[in-house]
Amino acid sequence: MKLLVVEDERKLAEYLRKGLVEEGYVVEVAHNGVDGLHMAVEGHHDLIVLDWMLPGIDGMSMLAALRQSTQTPVLMLTARVAVEDRVRGLKAGADDYLVKPFAFTELVARIETLLKRSTASTTSQEPMQLSLADLQLDLVRRRATRAGQRLDLSAKEFQLLSLLMRKAGEVLSRTEIAEQVWDVNFDHGTNVIDVAVRRLRAKLDTPFDRPLLHTVRGMGYVLEERVP
């Protein structure tokens, strides 16, 4: 899942970015409304965390512009505490409204709820469960099993496996994986992708008879069932 955080307070923005990355999300950050609107319109995000008071274009103006072209869930994050402000934000098209200061755990819970609601509304386009051979992935409960056995995956491993299953049979380059699973600050010169794939393979394939995750030399990785 990819999130966009639009927050001009840089320390808070970085705090949110780090925390949400640890929760397994890919996170992009904008520090003003102009950049935020451009990134929201040009990119694909599953949810937007939007501050109200922003330089350039304020959050309400950005929300109004967004609602002309997209129904991406928006969680308003603001210091405005008046009931009238909350009502105004919700009527403008915000899907939820969280007042500063806030507990990070509550923010995560609200994000998860909005994402589940969004996933449920698009089930015809986006299945909530994926399967390949004896591998099952539940996107809503964030749970993976193979041959009936639960796979103990970290948040990043689950996200990596989810990407590979969505693209089953398609060779994914390290760059593609980095862009989808890691944030925009990812260092392509590291071996993080290879290490992550190796750890996932140890849980996904090593305990079982037939491997599903394969390396394609010079190209990348592919998840598929191969006949011996």
Side-chain angles (χ1 to χ4, degrees):
M1 294 287 187
K2 189 175 183 179
L3 311 182
L4 172 62
V5 173
V6 188
E7 168 62 59
D8 65 322
E9 188 180 336
R10 291 180 179 268
K11 286 186 177 180
L12 176 57
E14 181 60 13
Y15 167 74
L16 293 174
R17 189 193 70 79
K18 287 184 176 179
L20 292 171
V21 166
E22 289 177 359
E23 291 292 326
Y25 297 106
V26 175
V27 183
E28 292 186 332
V29 176
H31 297 296
N32 60 70
V34 175
D35 290 343
L37 181 58
H38 174 76
M39 293 168 69
V41 172
E42 294 298 323
H44 170 75
H45 302 91
D46 297 289
L47 182 140
I48 299 170
V49 178
L50 178 62
D51 187 21
W52 186 314
M53 302 301 292
L54 292 167
I57 301 175
D58 66 30
M60 290 298 293
S61 299
M62 179 176 163
L63 179 59
L66 279 175
R67 284 298 174 251
Q68 294 180 14
S69 60
T70 177
Q71 291 303 310
T72 301
V74 173
L75 171 61
M76 292 290 290
L77 195 63
T78 176
R80 291 177 176 265
V81 297
V83 173
E84 308 86 74
D85 289 327
R86 300 185 204 181
V87 172
R88 183 183 168 196
L90 293 171
K91 284 187 174 181
D95 296 272
D96 201 354
Y97 193 106
L98 186 59
V99 176
K100 300 175 182 177
F102 58 90
F104 181 74
T105 52
E106 181 181 2
L107 173 67
V108 172
R110 287 173 180 260
I111 287 174
E112 290 176 348
T113 298
L114 289 177
L115 289 174
K116 287 178 182 178
R117 188 186 305 165
S118 177
T119 300
S121 67
T122 57
T123 50
S124 61
Q125 304 170 359
E126 183 81 19
M128 291 192 290
Q129 293 195 5
L130 302 173
S131 62
L132 176 68
D134 57 354
L135 175 63
Q136 302 288 328
L137 195 67
D138 188 325
L139 298 174
V140 175
R141 297 168 66 189
R142 299 177 71 85
R143 179 175 179 176
T145 60
R146 183 167 184 191
Q149 298 181 37
R150 177 79 175 268
L151 303 181
D152 184 19
L153 304 179
S154 67
K156 269 289 185 276
E157 288 166 349
F158 183 89
Q159 197 168 354
L160 174 57
L161 180 57
S162 174
L163 172 64
L164 289 164
M165 288 196 72
R166 291 174 194 271
K167 304 286 188 177
E170 180 180 336
V171 179
L172 298 179
S173 68
R174 290 167 177 79
T175 298
E176 290 176 282
I177 293 173
E179 290 175 350
Q180 295 294 322
V181 182
W182 276 262
D183 63 29
V184 292
N185 298 313
F186 177 79
D187 182 359
H188 294 272
T190 70
N191 66 340
V192 170
I193 304 297
D194 300 312
V195 171
V197 169
R198 189 160 56 245
R199 288 176 176 171
L200 175 61
R201 181 178 278 141
K203 299 176 181 180
L204 175 66
D205 285 340
T206 301
F208 303 95
D209 294 333
R210 297 173 61 182
L212 294 176
L213 181 51
H214 307 277
T215 300
V216 181
R217 288 184 179 277
M219 297 180 66
Y221 301 98
V222 59
L223 189 75
E224 64 182 3
E225 183 180 18
R226 294 181 176 178
V227 179

